[in-house]
Amino acid sequence: MPFSQACENNKGPILVELKRIFANSQQVLEIGSGTGQHSVHFAENLPHVTWQASDQNSYLTHLNARIELLGIPNLLPAFGLDVTLNWPTQMISPDLDSIFTANTLHIMSKSMVEAFFTGIGQSLIKTSQVAIYGPFNYQGEFSSESNASFDEWLKQNNPESGIRDIEWITALAEQQGLILQADIEMPANNRLLHFSRN
């Protein structure tokens, strides 16, 4: 079963923040659940929330194997979601009020990031919370040498990927009525961005 050491390293610090951000949430859609390590950890430790995992179809077999193995009652089976296609509205609960994603926006192309925000804007009910974890730039500058090296590595693998400017991300969120509430410093030169729509 696929395993990410980075997920193991960051799931604790992220959970500390999600307990606050999702304190009043009912249903969270995780976009880009990957190995499922975040999904099972957060669902287990946020029992008041129904956690819905999702990812591209190619990841679903292993993702759902982990979810099924652990059998956490508030963790739903993952469904396929490609942010650039029509989102599967039949799979998204009308009670959805929160979104979480980790380490996805720098892997996506710019057009995929734009589609991501359009999709969440259309899927969320009026009152909502969005938490986005990963590295970000500020005014076009890398926040560390390691992030600059990481960005170079990303572009070698996919020229359309790369660490995104927080100003651009904030502007895309605002187009969907989502306002930045907190930009939280996290380990390993990452951030957790908390947006909300009141």
Side-chain angles (χ1 to χ4, degrees):
M1 191 174 294
F3 176 86
S4 166
Q5 187 59 52
C7 282
E8 286 302 297
N9 295 346
N10 64 35
K11 68 183 185 182
I14 294 174
L15 177 63
V16 170
E17 303 303 332
L18 294 189
K19 284 183 174 180
R20 176 182 55 80
I21 294 169
F22 295 153
N24 298 312
S25 298
Q26 294 183 333
Q27 179 146 1
V28 177
L29 171 62
E30 180 183 6
I31 299 174
S33 300
T35 65
Q37 289 162 255
H38 279 164
S39 303
V40 298
H41 185 68
F42 299 151
E44 191 170 35
N45 288 279
L46 298 168
H48 68 286
V49 165
T50 299
W51 195 275
Q52 174 68 71
S54 72
D55 212 316
Q56 297 181 58
N57 288 329
S58 58
Y59 292 92
L60 291 185
T61 299
H62 294 298
L63 174 55
N64 275 322
R66 185 183 297 275
I67 291 171
E68 185 176 349
L69 177 66
L70 294 175
I72 299 168
N74 60 320
L75 176 56
L76 303 178
F79 64 78
L81 194 159
D82 181 333
V83 298
T84 65
L85 303 177
N86 289 331
W87 288 33
T89 53
Q90 71 278 11
M91 301 297 295
I92 298 175
S93 168
D95 295 325
L96 178 69
D97 56 12
S98 300
I99 299 279
F100 171 75
T101 194
N103 291 324
T104 55
L105 301 191
H106 56 269
I107 296 172
M108 299 178 184
S109 66
K110 287 191 172 182
S111 62
M112 290 176 71
V113 175
E114 291 168 347
F116 166 87
F117 278 100
T118 299
I120 64 174
Q122 293 171 348
S123 300
L124 287 169
I125 63 173
K126 185 175 181 181
T127 301
S128 49
Q129 310 296 326
V130 177
I132 302 174
Y133 174 86
F136 294 95
N137 291 338
Y138 293 81
Q139 298 180 333
E141 300 292 332
F142 296 106
S143 61
S144 68
E145 290 184 10
S146 62
N147 278 1
S149 298
F150 180 50
D151 184 79
E152 184 177 351
W153 178 84
L154 286 167
K155 287 182 166 61
Q156 287 174 353
N157 287 274
N158 177 5
E160 294 192 350
S161 65
I163 296 176
R164 305 305 175 194
D165 290 347
I166 191 171
E167 294 85 3
W168 181 57
I169 296 300
T170 300
L172 291 176
E174 287 178 351
Q175 290 172 16
Q176 305 302 327
L178 293 160
I179 305 303
L180 183 66
Q181 302 298 327
D183 173 8
I184 304 160
E185 184 177 0
M186 303 294 286
N189 299 306
N190 287 301
R191 315 293 297 186
L192 187 69
L193 308 183
H194 172 207
F195 297 91
S196 72
R197 180 196 291 154
N198 297 324

